[in-house]
Amino acid sequence: MLQAIGLTSAPRRDLTPAVDDLTFEAPPGCVTALLGAPGAGKTTALRLMLELEPGRGVTCFRGRPLHRITHPAREIGVLLGDVPGHPARTVRGQLRMLCAAAGVPVSRADELIEVVGLGALRDERLGSLSLGMDRRLGLASALLGDPHTLLLDAPSAGLSPRENSWLYGLLRAHAGHGGTVLYTTADAKEAARTADRVVTIDRGRLVADQHVSAFARTRLRPRVAVRTPHAARLADALNREARASRRSVEVVAREDAGSLLTVYGSSCPEIGETAFRHGVLVHRLADEVGDAGPTAPVPAAAAAAAPAASAPAAAVPAAATAPGAEAVHGPVAPARGGVRGAVAPSATRGPDAAAATPVAATPAADAASGADVVRVPGPAHAPEAAATRGPRGGSAPLPPPLPSRPVRSPLRPLRYELRRMFGVRSAPLIVAAVLVASVALAVPLARTGTTPLPALLAAWPAVLPLPPAALGAGLLGALSFGDEYRYPALAGARGTVPRRLGLLLAKLAVTGGVALLLAALSALADAGALRLVYGAAAAPVPDNWAAPALGWAGLAVGCAWAGLLGAGVFRITIAGMAAVVAVPTLVGPLVQKALAGPSVRSVVGLPDRLRELAWLQWPRQADHWLMAMIRLAAQPVAAALTLSLSVLLCAYLLTGLRRRARW
């Protein structure tokens, strides 16, 4: 059961909210359509439910608000627009990355690839997928965690009728297993074809919350499509007979098709008899259902026949207890996602569903009429039958449910970050470019013999603010958060990704490890190149190699973290690189100026004083390492880097972790 209570968006000053006190519910075992014209607030309502939009109100998923759900991916599947994946990532790589985030086995990705019909495209890049394949991948991403609730924003926009049939068949199958499905649409006929309940909103407010049979009676307007070469004569005859019999009949001529008439308030037999009496040739005569609009008034007779057709906007949704709510009867279906006792969708249609539920018209009839139509006659369970058809007409059932809930583990964000970083070619290309640039700089620097050995092995000429390895580490760190904001793969599932503390720690660990590896590889590559070109004397191993190695590692890791936090604070990759370059060019000179001047105090003897203060007895050999670290921290560049990291970390904690969110 999904319950949205009092959803209200936070508008800008002097503007009305896009969603205003919206209250409705989506019961389990049913497909619920959130219907509204473009700009009615459908997408904003979904974002409010997922806490992606500031506002008021609460949304309960099986009785719990989103921030109280331990494993959101196992409870809610989300598709908001296109799949927000890196265009260079493969279909299989994208799903495996999301499997690591959701804490489900990677085999789940392969199962869903087959279910959604992407088996032949598993190694294709996301940037090369068509719109239909992109929607299939989005649905697979939403189903990864075996969620109970699916929230989909206009899932059929731009799809062909065949892909629409497949999509809604899969949604019907999910609801048939006891799941909850809520999707948005602007097409009333589509909602009547594919949904069990229709929630209509306009300007962010609830207009009606109806069963599909009541929706078809009260909000879809019956009409008759007539094709005749004598449209004007037949229209005149119909109007004259309607006036004579005092009936309300409206005849509308299609401007784009001169031989097509749309007649409201009459029937096929009456129009056929009129055409026969006046000798008018008729090529086609068919009943259709047209949209009366989201704000069309409900006739009094229809409202009396269906007292539960609409619910007050301020009512708290409770299907079983709210006054005027429709009773739901029928057999109990096995529940999906851990729910038991959910009602099967066929049981909620009511006794008149066979006559009132519209089904899709045939393509031939659509082409003949020239109108977008919904046929009223037809089998009541056509959507359910479509649930067993695959994308090519074969069998494609839902994947088996996951056996148990995942165990919370710090390795989940770590696995996600590793798959995110190495799932595209960016990281290997940056590492290769850094090694080439480092060797290309180190060989000319060693030619004069005036460059110190540490700067030589780091390939750090005086004209550059940082060596290539440090710049490469900073770029890798900036891409870690920059790609999350540019391609927010997890944003729909649980808040924006950078608000998660577990993901921040995972990114710090992975970028720090990659920076250490990059620093070591560049130093080894430079030493090997120098020995090859100039001999062993060009790159000797110094006796006090520990202190320079520690400083080199600290510089690489610090640059990587500065880029990471800079991109996390300003939400763009270039801001992370600006934070890296600002350390030696802006912060470093300021720190050096502040530290300039003679020192009258010394830190000599600090290890002994720390040992006395902490009552700890560590080996005397550790004093040498401690003093080396202190001397490194006292250097202007190290002090500037430490100061920059502290400021960026505080800024990130203040701006990025304000909401209630966790991994």
Side-chain angles (χ1 to χ4, degrees), residues 192-204:
R193 265 198 317 267
T194 58
D196 298 302
R197 296 197 67 85
V198 181
V199 178
T200 308
I201 64 174
D202 184 35
R203 297 180 183 179

Side-chain angles (χ1 to χ4, degrees), residues 11 31 221 244 258 391 408 434 438 448 450 457 478 485:
V31 177
R221 189 178 179 188
R408 296 197 61 163
V434 165
S438 185
T448 60
T450 58
L457 294 178
Y485 284 113

